[in-house]
Each structure stands twice: as C-alpha cells, then as structure tokens.
Amino acid sequence: MMAMWRRPAGAVGIAVLVLGALMVAFMAQLQASGRAEVDSARMAAQATDGTEWLHDGRTYSAQRYSPLDQINAQNVSQLGIAWYDDLDTFRGVEATPLYADGVLYNTLPWNITIAYDARTGKRLWTYDPQVQREFGRYACCEPVARGLALWKGKVIIATLDGRVIALNAADGKPVWSVQSTPKDMPYTITGAPRVFDGKVVVGNSGGDMGIRGFVAAYDADTGKEAWKFYLTPGDPAKGPDGAASDNVMEMIRKTWSGDYWKLGGGANAWDSIGYDPALKLVYIGTGNGSPLSWHYRSNGKGDNLFICSIVAVNVETGKYAWHYQMVPEEDWDYTCTQSIVTADLKIGGRDRKVLMQAPKNGYFYVLDRATGEFISAGQIAPANWTLGIDPKTGRPKMNPDAHYGQDPFLVKPGPGGAHNWFPMAYSPRTKLAYFPLYESGMVLALDPDFQPKPFRSNAGWGGYTGEAAKKRGELMKGAVAMDKAYLLAWDPVKQKAAWKIPLPRHGNGGVMVTGSDLVFEGTTRQTFAAFDARNGKLLWEMPVQSAPVAGPITYTLDGVQYVAVNAGWGGGAAMVERGQGIEMPRAPARLIVFKLGGTAQLPALQPAAKAPEPPPLRASEAQVARGAQLFAETCAVCHGQQAIGGVKDLRMMTRETHAKFNDIVLKGLYADKGMASFADLISAEDAEAIHGYLIARANEDWGGVSDGKGPH
C-alpha cells in the first residue's frame, strides 16, 4: 500500500517547504534557460536528427524534409487533432512555426509572437511588438509574417515596420532590437529572418512602392550590424554606399538606363534566403523591379541587375561571390524570392553541389551553389515571356512581343507566378522536389500617362479604358480559361514532372515531406492533406475550415510524432480569390497540431453574414468615376479590384459604417485594426469620391453579394 504524504510540522516542515519551493524554482529556471539553445553544432545535427524543427526550412539546406517516420502510409488515416489554438484573426497566417525543447514558437500578422507548451497547447508567453498599423497599407499582400528564428536562447523576429528583435525564449522579453530599414520610406518586412552560424540575415519588402532593395546581417548575440548589401544601384552622384555591395555597384549600374535611382529599382529580397555552412555562402533571392514596367523603370534598356536573381555573398563579410539572373529585362512582376533549396545530386555522372529554385517565371532551375554555374532549367508551366532557356549560358531567349506596349498582351505566367512564396520541399529519399504549381496568365499594357507617386504601388501598367480595355477583356477570357492549380513532384535531374495532382484554385499551401514518404500540404479545399511522395496518391485529408497556406512542420515529443500547421487563409492568393468574388466562408485562423489518435474537435463553422442593403447613390457620375480611379490607386491592394472582396469587402458596409466613413479613412478611427488614416495621401474631397464609388458598387452588386460573393 502506498504511504500517504503528510505535511511536516513545525520549523522542520517550514524548512522542507521552502527547500522544495526553491528546488521547483531552480528546476523551472534550469528548464527555461535551456530553451532554444540553438547553435551551429545543433543545426548540423539536424541533418540526421528529426526530433526538432529549429530553422525555417528545418535544416540550413531548407529541404523541409524530416527523417521522422512514425506517421506513415499505413497509419496516417488515424491522424487526428491533438490540440489547436484560435489566433483571433481573419488575416492570412503564413508563418512556419518552430519547435525546440518542448516549446512551439509561432508568429502571426503584425508579428505577434507566441510560445506554447507543445504537449498541451497552453500559451507560455505572448509578445506584441506594437507594429505601427499604418505599415499595413504598404504591405503588398496583408501584414503577414512568414516565420521566425532561434539562436542561443533567443527567438528572433523581423517586424512589418522594419525592426529586428531578439526575445528571451524563456519569457518573451526583448533582449535587443534594431531598426533594419529607413523609417522615411515604405519598407516592410514579411519574410522570415534567418540565422546562419550566428548572423541574423534579413531582407525586406516594398519593391512595388518605389524603394531600393537590400539585405542586412546582424550579430545574433548583440544586434550589431555586420554588413549590408544593396541589390540595385543608387544615385551615382552620392558616391559609394559604404556597404559590402560597393565593389560590384559599377558592374550592376551598367545594366540600367535613365534616372532609375529616382524610382527605387526594387529587387527586394522579400522571402527566401538560403545558406551553405561549408561554403559560408548566403544565397539571396531577389524580387521584381520598381516600377514593374521595364519601360518606365529603365527606358526599356538593360538587364537591370540584380532584379529576379540569386546573389551569393559571404556570410561573415557580405562580399559578393556570384550571381545568376533568371529574368533579365524583368517586365512582368516576376520574383525569384521563392524557396532556395540546396542538395547534392548526381547529374551527368558527376556529383554536384546544387541549389534549386522554382520562381514565378515558369521554370525550375538547378545551379552549382559554389560557383553559380547554370546547370539546367526545366519548364514547369506555360510561359511565353521567353522562347526558351539557352542550355549552355542559361540566358532566356526573350520574346520581344512580351515586352508589351499600350496594346494589351497576354503574358504567361501571370504575376501570381507558376510558383509563388508557398514553401517547396525536397526529399533525399525520392530525389524529388514538391511544391504547389499554378498555371496562369495576365493581360498587361503600358499606361501612357503613368506618373509615379510616392508611397503608392507603381506599376506603369494601363489599358483599362477605351479600345485597350475591350481587347484586355477578350484576352482575359483566355487567361481565365487556362487557370489551373496542382501539387507537383518534380525531378530536378531529369527536369521533368514525376507526377502532379490537380487541386482547386490558386493558393494551395506550403509543403513538407517525411522519411516515411509522406507529403503534407494545406489545400484550397480548406483541408490539410497527406499524399504519397512516390506517386501523389491522396492518403489522408481532414477539413480544417480554412486553407492552410503556411509551411507545416513535424517533430517528436515524449516519443510521439506531431505535425503542426497554421490554418489561416490570406495573403496574395486570397486577395485574388476575393477579387474574383469566389472566396469561401472560413473560420478564424488557427494553429493546429496533429498526432496519431488525436481526438480534439474544431468548433462548428459559423455562417457568413448576409450583405446589408446599401444606402442610395447620391454621387454624380463624374464623382463615381474619379472615386473608381482613386480606389484603384490607393485602396485596391487591400480591398480588391473593383471593390470585390479584399481584407474587408467594402460592398458589405453597414449603414453605421457608411456614416463613419470619413472618420475611418481620414481620422484613423480603426487604426488599431490596421486601417490607418490616409489623410496624408487623399483629401476630404477624394474620400467623398471614393465613398461614392463604393456606394455605387454596393448597389450594383446588392442581391448578388452574399457570403462575400458577387457576379464578377
């Protein structure tokens, strides 16, 4: 019989209690101090140890491959929810969570960061960096955050308003903070910070807004800047930048024409940044140009380095090593910021250390990661911006017709890309890469009256009126007809598809692959699913009330394998869907954690609100037309083209909201929700015109607007 424990009496009892309390506090402090103690040795061990997920791509190779195999094809049907956490937002949640030492770390829109007990889902701490909400209007595709980093007891985040912050992993309190971007320009950060052998490497967003892209590195222990590398040339009259990129600036300047520096240039590294610890090379994937139109950006001349390129620099110094440009003369909003994955492959009978990327432009690239030598490129989707890739030089054979003028042209792929930011995975077992594929097109034309405006999206695109608009409409029918989405398995050696599985709609999520040959991905069926990595067979699928766009992870705790993913539909793909009026009702975003035999149940999905009757239209036809133009320039990035969908569907405003319209737009009444004042960009007269346009749109579609849908 087990003896009952009794409270000791008297002074001895008090001493025992005090000693016990001290012991508990000591053990808690010991456990907390050991959290997230990630260093180079621990990262190297991840090559074979799949118990944790310490880095955005799990290992420095960013393969998003885990050797774990407890969950396999035979038992994956038993997968259920272990626990979930409601994240209290309808914004897109794009972050890959991290796991270390029994704790799951996650980051949400506005960079709110949470640590969880990975066994139970209990929140251990929450940190809100109080991001200035007006930065939400500078973010292309919602105020998202795609991840965070761990290093020596610190959780490192990069905020939308350009700060890099190190938090104590034990309690979430700031250790150091630095401002990474200039505060007088519309820079944002949406990509995950990466820590490579003690250097925090961070890019930034905002290429559409007329800014100059760069990447910076900071000491992970102190926050001190180690180096900075600019990705486009600055004003030559100002001389050198005093940056690591100075020694190549003259080389890249020769590839530009005109007063390019006045328009920013772009090339922002807004997402993927890779690393090889043996070569000590950081691989920077760069974005689109600013303005988007090559004609307005560089007089239609020059390759415009380093737009849509991969640039390799030394991790310690930032010194340039090599570059490869996927899209010279970039004119179509293509970016090369998608997943950069490294692997060792046997190609042509040779063992090659390679780097792989599938950017927006419709091709899958394999490069030598030591030298940047072009090895091969395979076409993954319809593409007509080029007539092919030269197999020897790797230079695309540009299609002159694709450099559109004022006459609209249907370019393939569209700006949504053949493959966008959704993370790619690679399995060393199957030797296949896995990623969501999108077959798309977009009709582009020059705006003959284009005048760049500060703090606005500057494309230089037009063709929205008159005969050009008619032709655009006809061509867009072809773009809509070709619209298809897949989960693709790609052989990087043979440069051909191994298999591809049709999926509905653009926006299927990031991919993770395991040692049991399972591919996990969120789908636009609002499910989380597992596929056979060898043949694409669907093995398991669970409805989760939203489309999980983020990259999933897997880890083990107490001998049990878990899979975790953020299910929060949003970002660019969601904005396209909202803009088409076809968005599905969904639940608020959640972090969902699965295990074999999990029994937790999600609450029932609440029905969507019906569209309220709009107020009568009293604005003149001229006011409505002006409002439409102002809305397209200022509001559409968040609220959808033609005011269809968006973060908030403004056709569905209540009478009460209509009454407060000017206070919301000009006085920042809803600044805490991300709708900052626009009084610095528009006048009261402008606001009235926009309001008139929105009332007109609401009346046009009322009766067809239900659950966020409309006739368009």
mmCIF file of all heavy atoms in Angstrom, residues 529-571:
data_model
loop_
_atom_site.group_PDB
_atom_site.id
_atom_site.type_symbol
_atom_site.label_atom_id
_atom_site.label_comp_id
_atom_site.label_asym_id
_atom_site.label_seq_id
_atom_site.Cartn_x
_atom_site.Cartn_y
_atom_site.Cartn_z
ATOM 1 N N ALA A 529 -3.794 17.827 -45.850
ATOM 2 C CA ALA A 529 -3.780 16.531 -46.522
ATOM 3 C C ALA A 529 -2.389 15.922 -46.536
ATOM 4 O O ALA A 529 -1.377 16.627 -46.432
ATOM 5 C CB ALA A 529 -4.302 16.678 -47.953
ATOM 6 N N ALA A 530 -2.342 14.594 -46.692
ATOM 7 C CA ALA A 530 -1.091 13.850 -46.844
ATOM 8 C C ALA A 530 -1.166 13.043 -48.135
ATOM 9 O O ALA A 530 -2.168 12.354 -48.398
ATOM 10 C CB ALA A 530 -0.864 12.915 -45.655
ATOM 11 N N PHE A 531 -0.103 13.142 -48.935
ATOM 12 C CA PHE A 531 -0.007 12.445 -50.215
ATOM 13 C C PHE A 531 1.189 11.496 -50.182
ATOM 14 O O PHE A 531 2.167 11.734 -49.466
ATOM 15 C CB PHE A 531 0.186 13.441 -51.358
ATOM 16 C CG PHE A 531 -0.902 14.469 -51.485
ATOM 17 C CD1 PHE A 531 -0.884 15.622 -50.711
ATOM 18 C CD2 PHE A 531 -1.941 14.285 -52.386
ATOM 19 C CE1 PHE A 531 -1.883 16.577 -50.834
ATOM 20 C CE2 PHE A 531 -2.949 15.233 -52.519
ATOM 21 C CZ PHE A 531 -2.912 16.378 -51.732
ATOM 22 N N ASP A 532 1.112 10.439 -50.980
ATOM 23 C CA ASP A 532 2.241 9.530 -51.144
ATOM 24 C C ASP A 532 3.309 10.245 -51.972
ATOM 25 O O ASP A 532 3.055 10.664 -53.102
ATOM 26 C CB ASP A 532 1.789 8.247 -51.842
ATOM 27 C CG ASP A 532 2.854 7.162 -51.822
ATOM 28 O OD1 ASP A 532 4.009 7.461 -52.176
ATOM 29 O OD2 ASP A 532 2.517 6.016 -51.487
ATOM 30 N N ALA A 533 4.495 10.400 -51.409
ATOM 31 C CA ALA A 533 5.557 11.148 -52.083
ATOM 32 C C ALA A 533 6.039 10.466 -53.349
ATOM 33 O O ALA A 533 6.653 11.103 -54.207
ATOM 34 C CB ALA A 533 6.733 11.352 -51.124
ATOM 35 N N ARG A 534 5.758 9.173 -53.501
ATOM 36 C CA ARG A 534 6.259 8.431 -54.660
ATOM 37 C C ARG A 534 5.340 8.538 -55.867
ATOM 38 O O ARG A 534 5.805 8.492 -57.002
ATOM 39 C CB ARG A 534 6.453 6.962 -54.269
ATOM 40 C CG ARG A 534 7.504 6.757 -53.167
ATOM 41 C CD ARG A 534 7.376 5.392 -52.520
ATOM 42 N NE ARG A 534 6.081 5.234 -51.848
ATOM 43 C CZ ARG A 534 5.724 4.175 -51.155
ATOM 44 N NH1 ARG A 534 6.559 3.166 -51.029
ATOM 45 N NH2 ARG A 534 4.530 4.110 -50.580
ATOM 46 N N ASN A 535 4.015 8.682 -55.611
ATOM 47 C CA ASN A 535 3.093 8.675 -56.751
ATOM 48 C C ASN A 535 1.975 9.712 -56.663
ATOM 49 O O ASN A 535 1.162 9.829 -57.575
ATOM 50 C CB ASN A 535 2.481 7.281 -56.923
ATOM 51 C CG ASN A 535 1.815 6.793 -55.637
ATOM 52 O OD1 ASN A 535 1.251 7.554 -54.872
ATOM 53 N ND2 ASN A 535 1.901 5.480 -55.401
ATOM 54 N N GLY A 536 1.910 10.461 -55.566
ATOM 55 C CA GLY A 536 0.904 11.502 -55.426
ATOM 56 C C GLY A 536 -0.448 11.037 -54.932
ATOM 57 O O GLY A 536 -1.381 11.847 -54.822
ATOM 58 N N LYS A 537 -0.596 9.775 -54.605
ATOM 59 C CA LYS A 537 -1.881 9.272 -54.131
ATOM 60 C C LYS A 537 -2.282 9.972 -52.833
ATOM 61 O O LYS A 537 -1.490 10.102 -51.905
ATOM 62 C CB LYS A 537 -1.798 7.758 -53.900
ATOM 63 C CG LYS A 537 -3.106 7.147 -53.399
ATOM 64 C CD LYS A 537 -2.945 5.646 -53.138
ATOM 65 C CE LYS A 537 -4.227 5.047 -52.584
ATOM 66 N NZ LYS A 537 -4.078 3.596 -52.286
ATOM 67 N N LEU A 538 -3.543 10.437 -52.775
ATOM 68 C CA LEU A 538 -4.063 11.046 -51.554
ATOM 69 C C LEU A 538 -4.291 9.958 -50.507
ATOM 70 O O LEU A 538 -5.058 9.019 -50.734
ATOM 71 C CB LEU A 538 -5.375 11.779 -51.842
ATOM 72 C CG LEU A 538 -6.057 12.440 -50.644
ATOM 73 C CD1 LEU A 538 -5.199 13.549 -50.064
ATOM 74 C CD2 LEU A 538 -7.429 12.983 -51.046
ATOM 75 N N LEU A 539 -3.616 10.093 -49.358
ATOM 76 C CA LEU A 539 -3.693 9.076 -48.314
ATOM 77 C C LEU A 539 -4.569 9.494 -47.136
ATOM 78 O O LEU A 539 -5.098 8.641 -46.426
ATOM 79 C CB LEU A 539 -2.277 8.758 -47.802
ATOM 80 C CG LEU A 539 -1.302 8.201 -48.844
ATOM 81 C CD1 LEU A 539 0.100 8.086 -48.252
ATOM 82 C CD2 LEU A 539 -1.779 6.845 -49.347
ATOM 83 N N TRP A 540 -4.681 10.795 -46.914
ATOM 84 C CA TRP A 540 -5.452 11.296 -45.761
ATOM 85 C C TRP A 540 -5.778 12.758 -45.993
ATOM 86 O O TRP A 540 -4.998 13.491 -46.599
ATOM 87 C CB TRP A 540 -4.629 11.138 -44.489
ATOM 88 C CG TRP A 540 -5.158 11.871 -43.274
ATOM 89 C CD1 TRP A 540 -6.118 11.443 -42.414
ATOM 90 C CD2 TRP A 540 -4.747 13.165 -42.805
ATOM 91 N NE1 TRP A 540 -6.336 12.381 -41.431
ATOM 92 C CE2 TRP A 540 -5.492 13.443 -41.639
ATOM 93 C CE3 TRP A 540 -3.820 14.105 -43.238
ATOM 94 C CZ2 TRP A 540 -5.345 14.630 -40.915
ATOM 95 C CZ3 TRP A 540 -3.663 15.287 -42.529
ATOM 96 C CH2 TRP A 540 -4.416 15.539 -41.376
ATOM 97 N N GLU A 541 -6.966 13.178 -45.557
ATOM 98 C CA GLU A 541 -7.354 14.572 -45.711
ATOM 99 C C GLU A 541 -8.347 14.911 -44.621
ATOM 100 O O GLU A 541 -9.266 14.144 -44.344
ATOM 101 C CB GLU A 541 -7.977 14.797 -47.095
ATOM 102 C CG GLU A 541 -8.274 16.242 -47.413
ATOM 103 C CD GLU A 541 -8.679 16.423 -48.876
ATOM 104 O OE1 GLU A 541 -9.256 15.474 -49.454
ATOM 105 O OE2 GLU A 541 -8.426 17.506 -49.431
ATOM 106 N N MET A 542 -8.160 16.062 -43.978
ATOM 107 C CA MET A 542 -9.060 16.484 -42.912
ATOM 108 C C MET A 542 -9.535 17.913 -43.164
ATOM 109 O O MET A 542 -8.721 18.815 -43.369
ATOM 110 C CB MET A 542 -8.370 16.413 -41.546
ATOM 111 C CG MET A 542 -9.260 16.921 -40.404
ATOM 112 S SD MET A 542 -8.466 16.803 -38.780
ATOM 113 C CE MET A 542 -8.617 15.039 -38.486
ATOM 114 N N PRO A 543 -10.859 18.165 -43.118
ATOM 115 C CA PRO A 543 -11.356 19.540 -43.208
ATOM 116 C C PRO A 543 -10.898 20.346 -41.989
ATOM 117 O O PRO A 543 -10.998 19.876 -40.845
ATOM 118 C CB PRO A 543 -12.877 19.371 -43.213
ATOM 119 C CG PRO A 543 -13.111 17.947 -43.595
ATOM 120 C CD PRO A 543 -11.945 17.181 -43.062
ATOM 121 N N VAL A 544 -10.398 21.568 -42.237
ATOM 122 C CA VAL A 544 -9.915 22.407 -41.135
ATOM 123 C C VAL A 544 -10.520 23.812 -41.184
ATOM 124 O O VAL A 544 -10.049 24.714 -40.495
ATOM 125 C CB VAL A 544 -8.375 22.479 -41.103
ATOM 126 C CG1 VAL A 544 -7.781 21.132 -40.709
ATOM 127 C CG2 VAL A 544 -7.815 22.952 -42.443
ATOM 128 N N GLN A 545 -11.558 24.008 -42.022
ATOM 129 C CA GLN A 545 -12.358 25.231 -42.041
ATOM 130 C C GLN A 545 -11.616 26.449 -42.592
ATOM 131 O O GLN A 545 -12.116 27.572 -42.516
ATOM 132 C CB GLN A 545 -12.901 25.538 -40.637
ATOM 133 C CG GLN A 545 -13.737 24.409 -40.060
ATOM 134 C CD GLN A 545 -14.214 24.696 -38.653
ATOM 135 O OE1 GLN A 545 -13.821 25.678 -38.035
ATOM 136 N NE2 GLN A 545 -15.062 23.822 -38.141
ATOM 137 N N SER A 546 -10.438 26.266 -43.132
ATOM 138 C CA SER A 546 -9.680 27.335 -43.768
ATOM 139 C C SER A 546 -8.609 26.679 -44.622
ATOM 140 O O SER A 546 -8.323 25.491 -44.452
ATOM 141 C CB SER A 546 -9.044 28.265 -42.722
ATOM 142 O OG SER A 546 -8.447 29.387 -43.345
ATOM 143 N N ALA A 547 -8.029 27.431 -45.543
ATOM 144 C CA ALA A 547 -6.965 26.868 -46.382
ATOM 145 C C ALA A 547 -5.615 27.159 -45.728
ATOM 146 O O ALA A 547 -5.203 28.319 -45.650
ATOM 147 C CB ALA A 547 -7.020 27.482 -47.773
ATOM 148 N N PRO A 548 -4.911 26.134 -45.255
ATOM 149 C CA PRO A 548 -3.610 26.363 -44.605
ATOM 150 C C PRO A 548 -2.533 26.674 -45.654
ATOM 151 O O PRO A 548 -2.019 25.781 -46.317
ATOM 152 C CB PRO A 548 -3.323 25.040 -43.897
ATOM 153 C CG PRO A 548 -4.596 24.259 -43.930
ATOM 154 C CD PRO A 548 -5.303 24.726 -45.168
ATOM 155 N N VAL A 549 -2.192 27.958 -45.807
ATOM 156 C CA VAL A 549 -1.201 28.345 -46.808
ATOM 157 C C VAL A 549 0.226 28.204 -46.292
ATOM 158 O O VAL A 549 1.181 28.146 -47.063
ATOM 159 C CB VAL A 549 -1.434 29.787 -47.299
ATOM 160 C CG1 VAL A 549 -2.741 29.881 -48.054
ATOM 161 C CG2 VAL A 549 -1.413 30.786 -46.146
ATOM 162 N N ALA A 550 0.404 28.154 -44.989
ATOM 163 C CA ALA A 550 1.731 28.145 -44.391
ATOM 164 C C ALA A 550 2.435 26.805 -44.577
ATOM 165 O O ALA A 550 1.811 25.789 -44.904
ATOM 166 C CB ALA A 550 1.624 28.464 -42.901
ATOM 167 N N GLY A 551 3.731 26.796 -44.350
ATOM 168 C CA GLY A 551 4.505 25.560 -44.377
ATOM 169 C C GLY A 551 4.308 24.765 -43.095
ATOM 170 O O GLY A 551 4.477 25.303 -41.999
ATOM 171 N N PRO A 552 3.949 23.478 -43.188
ATOM 172 C CA PRO A 552 3.810 22.645 -41.986
ATOM 173 C C PRO A 552 5.163 22.166 -41.473
ATOM 174 O O PRO A 552 6.169 22.223 -42.185
ATOM 175 C CB PRO A 552 2.959 21.472 -42.472
ATOM 176 C CG PRO A 552 3.214 21.386 -43.945
ATOM 177 C CD PRO A 552 3.577 22.762 -44.411
ATOM 178 N N ILE A 553 5.181 21.697 -40.223
ATOM 179 C CA ILE A 553 6.392 21.119 -39.634
ATOM 180 C C ILE A 553 6.031 19.816 -38.937
ATOM 181 O O ILE A 553 4.852 19.518 -38.693
ATOM 182 C CB ILE A 553 7.056 22.069 -38.608
ATOM 183 C CG1 ILE A 553 6.195 22.216 -37.338
ATOM 184 C CG2 ILE A 553 7.329 23.435 -39.239
ATOM 185 C CD1 ILE A 553 6.916 22.908 -36.179
ATOM 186 N N THR A 554 7.049 19.027 -38.585
ATOM 187 C CA THR A 554 6.853 17.817 -37.783
ATOM 188 C C THR A 554 7.990 17.692 -36.781
ATOM 189 O O THR A 554 9.099 18.185 -37.018
ATOM 190 C CB THR A 554 6.748 16.566 -38.671
ATOM 191 O OG1 THR A 554 6.367 15.435 -37.866
ATOM 192 C CG2 THR A 554 8.059 16.256 -39.375
ATOM 193 N N TYR A 555 7.700 17.050 -35.639
ATOM 194 C CA TYR A 555 8.686 16.894 -34.568
ATOM 195 C C TYR A 555 8.220 15.765 -33.653
ATOM 196 O O TYR A 555 7.082 15.272 -33.784
ATOM 197 C CB TYR A 555 8.839 18.192 -33.764
ATOM 198 C CG TYR A 555 7.549 18.689 -33.144
ATOM 199 C CD1 TYR A 555 7.163 18.302 -31.862
ATOM 200 C CD2 TYR A 555 6.700 19.536 -33.855
ATOM 201 C CE1 TYR A 555 5.976 18.739 -31.303
ATOM 202 C CE2 TYR A 555 5.505 19.975 -33.310
ATOM 203 C CZ TYR A 555 5.149 19.572 -32.033
ATOM 204 O OH TYR A 555 3.961 19.997 -31.483
ATOM 205 N N THR A 556 9.072 15.338 -32.753
ATOM 206 C CA THR A 556 8.671 14.337 -31.763
ATOM 207 C C THR A 556 8.814 14.902 -30.357
ATOM 208 O O THR A 556 9.703 15.702 -30.072
ATOM 209 C CB THR A 556 9.510 13.049 -31.856
ATOM 210 O OG1 THR A 556 10.895 13.359 -31.669
ATOM 211 C CG2 THR A 556 9.331 12.372 -33.193
ATOM 212 N N LEU A 557 7.917 14.465 -29.483
ATOM 213 C CA LEU A 557 7.916 14.857 -28.078
ATOM 214 C C LEU A 557 7.404 13.674 -27.278
ATOM 215 O O LEU A 557 6.338 13.129 -27.589
ATOM 216 C CB LEU A 557 7.025 16.089 -27.887
ATOM 217 C CG LEU A 557 6.832 16.609 -26.466
ATOM 218 C CD1 LEU A 557 8.171 17.014 -25.850
ATOM 219 C CD2 LEU A 557 5.872 17.804 -26.463
ATOM 220 N N ASP A 558 8.172 13.246 -26.287
ATOM 221 C CA ASP A 558 7.822 12.066 -25.483
ATOM 222 C C ASP A 558 7.585 10.846 -26.363
ATOM 223 O O ASP A 558 6.691 10.021 -26.109
ATOM 224 C CB ASP A 558 6.579 12.336 -24.633
ATOM 225 C CG ASP A 558 6.756 13.502 -23.682
ATOM 226 O OD1 ASP A 558 7.905 13.732 -23.247
ATOM 227 O OD2 ASP A 558 5.765 14.190 -23.389
ATOM 228 N N GLY A 559 8.365 10.734 -27.436
ATOM 229 C CA GLY A 559 8.265 9.580 -28.322
ATOM 230 C C GLY A 559 7.100 9.619 -29.290
ATOM 231 O O GLY A 559 6.867 8.643 -30.021
ATOM 232 N N VAL A 560 6.365 10.718 -29.328
ATOM 233 C CA VAL A 560 5.203 10.846 -30.200
ATOM 234 C C VAL A 560 5.518 11.849 -31.307
ATOM 235 O O VAL A 560 6.019 12.944 -31.043
ATOM 236 C CB VAL A 560 3.959 11.307 -29.409
ATOM 237 C CG1 VAL A 560 2.777 11.527 -30.339
ATOM 238 C CG2 VAL A 560 3.621 10.296 -28.324
ATOM 239 N N GLN A 561 5.203 11.484 -32.565
ATOM 240 C CA GLN A 561 5.414 12.411 -33.671
ATOM 241 C C GLN A 561 4.188 13.295 -33.840
ATOM 242 O O GLN A 561 3.056 12.820 -33.851
ATOM 243 C CB GLN A 561 5.683 11.659 -34.976
ATOM 244 C CG GLN A 561 5.968 12.587 -36.159
ATOM 245 C CD GLN A 561 6.222 11.850 -37.467
ATOM 246 O OE1 GLN A 561 6.306 10.617 -37.491
ATOM 247 N NE2 GLN A 561 6.340 12.594 -38.551
ATOM 248 N N TYR A 562 4.444 14.594 -33.962
ATOM 249 C CA TYR A 562 3.394 15.579 -34.182
ATOM 250 C C TYR A 562 3.610 16.261 -35.533
ATOM 251 O O TYR A 562 4.732 16.334 -36.035
ATOM 252 C CB TYR A 562 3.409 16.657 -33.091
ATOM 253 C CG TYR A 562 3.046 16.166 -31.712
ATOM 254 C CD1 TYR A 562 4.000 15.572 -30.884
ATOM 255 C CD2 TYR A 562 1.751 16.307 -31.216
ATOM 256 C CE1 TYR A 562 3.674 15.130 -29.609
ATOM 257 C CE2 TYR A 562 1.414 15.868 -29.938
ATOM 258 C CZ TYR A 562 2.382 15.284 -29.144
ATOM 259 O OH TYR A 562 2.052 14.848 -27.892
ATOM 260 N N VAL A 563 2.528 16.782 -36.091
ATOM 261 C CA VAL A 563 2.577 17.629 -37.284
ATOM 262 C C VAL A 563 1.810 18.901 -36.949
ATOM 263 O O VAL A 563 0.691 18.830 -36.414
ATOM 264 C CB VAL A 563 1.957 16.936 -38.507
ATOM 265 C CG1 VAL A 563 1.919 17.896 -39.702
ATOM 266 C CG2 VAL A 563 2.720 15.666 -38.858
ATOM 267 N N ALA A 564 2.389 20.068 -37.250
ATOM 268 C CA ALA A 564 1.750 21.337 -36.907
ATOM 269 C C ALA A 564 1.690 22.236 -38.133
ATOM 270 O O ALA A 564 2.615 22.254 -38.954
ATOM 271 C CB ALA A 564 2.526 22.035 -35.788
ATOM 272 N N VAL A 565 0.593 22.989 -38.244
ATOM 273 C CA VAL A 565 0.445 23.913 -39.369
ATOM 274 C C VAL A 565 -0.465 25.065 -38.957
ATOM 275 O O VAL A 565 -1.395 24.888 -38.161
ATOM 276 C CB VAL A 565 -0.128 23.198 -40.616
ATOM 277 C CG1 VAL A 565 -1.583 22.796 -40.412
ATOM 278 C CG2 VAL A 565 0.034 24.049 -41.868
ATOM 279 N N ASN A 566 -0.193 26.242 -39.489
ATOM 280 C CA ASN A 566 -1.097 27.374 -39.335
ATOM 281 C C ASN A 566 -2.153 27.313 -40.429
ATOM 282 O O ASN A 566 -1.825 27.272 -41.618
ATOM 283 C CB ASN A 566 -0.334 28.691 -39.445
ATOM 284 C CG ASN A 566 0.399 29.037 -38.168
ATOM 285 O OD1 ASN A 566 -0.193 29.060 -37.094
ATOM 286 N ND2 ASN A 566 1.688 29.309 -38.274
ATOM 287 N N ALA A 567 -3.416 27.291 -40.035
ATOM 288 C CA ALA A 567 -4.522 27.295 -40.989
ATOM 289 C C ALA A 567 -5.154 28.677 -40.951
ATOM 290 O O ALA A 567 -6.025 28.946 -40.123
ATOM 291 C CB ALA A 567 -5.539 26.211 -40.640
ATOM 292 N N GLY A 568 -4.688 29.551 -41.836
ATOM 293 C CA GLY A 568 -5.184 30.921 -41.874
ATOM 294 C C GLY A 568 -5.131 31.456 -43.286
ATOM 295 O O GLY A 568 -4.100 31.943 -43.744
ATOM 296 N N TRP A 569 -6.239 31.350 -44.021
ATOM 297 C CA TRP A 569 -6.311 31.755 -45.425
ATOM 298 C C TRP A 569 -6.084 33.260 -45.539
ATOM 299 O O TRP A 569 -6.693 34.053 -44.833
ATOM 300 C CB TRP A 569 -7.673 31.376 -45.965
ATOM 301 C CG TRP A 569 -7.987 31.756 -47.384
ATOM 302 C CD1 TRP A 569 -9.063 32.476 -47.801
ATOM 303 C CD2 TRP A 569 -7.273 31.388 -48.565
ATOM 304 N NE1 TRP A 569 -9.064 32.583 -49.172
ATOM 305 C CE2 TRP A 569 -7.966 31.926 -49.664
ATOM 306 C CE3 TRP A 569 -6.099 30.673 -48.797
ATOM 307 C CZ2 TRP A 569 -7.544 31.772 -50.978
ATOM 308 C CZ3 TRP A 569 -5.667 30.513 -50.110
ATOM 309 C CH2 TRP A 569 -6.381 31.053 -51.181
ATOM 310 N N GLY A 570 -5.187 33.639 -46.437
ATOM 311 C CA GLY A 570 -4.924 35.059 -46.618
ATOM 312 C C GLY A 570 -3.740 35.274 -47.531
ATOM 313 O O GLY A 570 -3.246 34.363 -48.184
ATOM 314 N N GLY A 571 -3.248 36.518 -47.587
ATOM 315 C CA GLY A 571 -2.127 36.857 -48.451
ATOM 316 C C GLY A 571 -2.565 37.076 -49.882
ATOM 317 O O GLY A 571 -3.742 37.256 -50.195
#
